[in-house]
Amino acid sequence: MKYFSLPRPGTELVLGERDVPEPGPGQVLVRMLGWAVNARDLMILKGFYPKPVKPDVVPLSDGAGEVVAVGDGVRAWTAGDRVAATYFPRWLSGPGTPEKTADDLAGTLDGVLAEYAVFAEDALVAVPAHLDYAEAATLPSAGVTAWRAVVEEGGLVPGQTVLTLGSGGLSTFALQFAALGGAHVVATSGSAAKLERLRALGATETLDHTATPEWGAAVAELTGGGADHVVDVGGGGTIGQSLIAARYGGHVSVAGVLTHEGGADPILVLVKQLTLRGLTNASRETFQAMNRAIEHTGLKPVIDRRFGFEEVAGALEHLASGTHIGKVVLEHG
């Protein structure tokens, strides 16, 4: 089988071949057929990721495929089942803890950029039947984190206002979940074409953040006092405006850090009585709840472009360009 590895952060990916692994007791062998790339993958490749990464790690945390064999004692899965891997294999349910989040795919553990991979029985979830494998591969990171921000932690109520930033995978998922939940969604971008697409996805209002650098105040005016929920993916470069955009008593989820420059005066959190919550990923239980909602509603992830398995360098380059809307994926030919 073919697989990619990263000798160490900051080096180039290496394509190699090795035998198809055998599943041990309690393990499941999956033929991987779809993958998705994330900003985290770029950070690891460039050597900027702040958490541990094992030497010669198999990259990418997000993938889906078909079960081909199971080890002794496995009861949850059989050959032919369609599954996706969980980002934190040990976080099954409940709040996150250091123990539950100590191991992550493509970090301390090998990721999924291989034709076959072995997972623990409880480190997999069934994927919605109406999604192909590449679409299902978008769910483990961007989908789950957006669901947690808008639904699980955000506790969205129909009629509330949600602000999403940009057109990346997490933001488009947040927009879709908020729109399905009956929210008034305000979406920002610096591109007129992207703003048009965001409106087609369900945004009620859109705002060009390049033309309006003080977009936090503009959002507050558009929404008559501020957004109930803000899903911030920019980090230091956007958090100050996000706090301005939130209403008094509002909820700001920090779900990504694309920039470290800038910052915010914490006085706004105090004066406006905001809930400021950092989010990474979530539990297997949360992943399953999201998948039930996706299957029930027929929601389709937003795919910007599809690449072949061996075209991962091109997929990462396209992601880094920032021209995408939604997710950049790989699929087996």
Side-chain angles (χ1 to χ4, degrees):
M1 72 166 206
K2 294 180 180 180
Y3 73 102
F4 282 90
S5 64
L6 182 68
R8 64 183 183 278
T11 61
E12 297 292 323
L13 291 178
V14 176
L15 177 62
E17 291 195 30
R18 61 188 180 195
D19 292 339
V20 175
E22 294 285 339
Q27 293 183 327
V28 179
L29 175 64
V30 178
R31 182 188 177 206
M32 304 303 298
L33 295 165
W35 303 262
V37 295
N38 294 292
R40 172 182 181 259
D41 301 314
L42 294 174
M43 294 173 68
I44 291 173
L45 288 169
K46 294 175 182 178
F48 298 150
Y49 194 57
K51 296 181 67 178
V53 177
K54 70 187 290 283
D56 293 311
V57 70
V58 175
L60 304 195
S61 59
D62 293 10
E66 179 183 1
V67 173
V68 293
V70 300
D72 290 343
V74 172
R75 299 289 179 266
W77 310 107
T78 59
D81 286 343
R82 303 171 72 249
V83 296
T86 58
Y87 178 89
F88 290 119
R90 294 164 56 186
W91 189 359
L92 303 183
S93 62
T97 66
E99 293 75 23
K100 293 177 183 178
T101 60
D103 287 327
D104 50 6
L105 296 185
T108 61
L109 303 173
D110 278 337
V112 297
L113 192 56
E115 291 182 308
Y116 292 86
V118 169
F119 305 95
E121 177 180 17
D122 55 8
L124 297 167
V125 299
V127 298
H130 68 286
L131 302 184
D132 64 32
Y133 287 110
E135 290 169 335
T138 69
L139 302 177
S141 290
V144 170
T145 306
W147 177 266
R148 185 181 174 195
V150 174
V151 180
E152 185 174 81
E153 300 284 354
L156 180 70
V157 175
Q160 290 184 325
T161 301
V162 175
L163 170 65
T164 61
L165 309 185
S167 60
L170 196 157
S171 294
T172 53
F173 267 120
L175 191 165
Q176 289 177 292
F177 292 147
L180 281 175
H184 177 109
V185 184
V186 180
T188 72
S189 176
S191 159
K194 288 183 176 181
L195 291 172
E196 182 179 355
R197 183 68 197 283
L198 294 173
R199 286 191 290 271
L201 289 171
T204 313
E205 306 273 0
T206 55
L207 189 65
D208 186 330
H209 61 70
T210 302
T212 310
E214 303 298 318
W215 48 266
V219 170
E221 183 177 353
L222 269 176
T223 56
D228 296 288
H229 305 265
V230 181
V231 182
D232 187 290
V233 295
T238 56
I239 189 63
Q241 292 298 311
S242 288
L243 297 181
I244 294 170
R247 69 163 174 82
Y248 274 62
H251 188 108
V252 180
S253 295
V254 181
V257 181
L258 297 178
T259 57
H260 294 274
E261 299 80 11
D265 187 345
I267 191 73
L268 281 175
V269 180
L270 175 66
V271 171
K272 296 177 74 173
Q273 302 177 53
L274 300 175
T275 298
L276 182 63
R277 181 67 182 268
L279 302 178
T280 52
N281 204 280
S283 68
R284 180 176 188 257
E285 183 179 58
T286 296
F287 198 163
Q288 291 171 315
M290 178 194 71
N291 282 351
R292 288 192 295 270
I294 288 174
E295 186 142 31
H296 178 72
T297 60
L299 181 144
K300 281 271 196 175
V302 180
I303 303 292
D304 181 88
R305 188 169 167 187
R306 296 171 182 254
F307 291 80
F309 172 73
E310 294 189 26
E311 298 175 316
V312 60
L316 290 164
E317 182 179 353
H318 184 58
L319 179 70
S321 75
T323 60
H324 60 290
I325 301 174
K327 295 295 294 180
V328 179
V329 299
L330 311 172
E331 54 190 351
H332 214 285

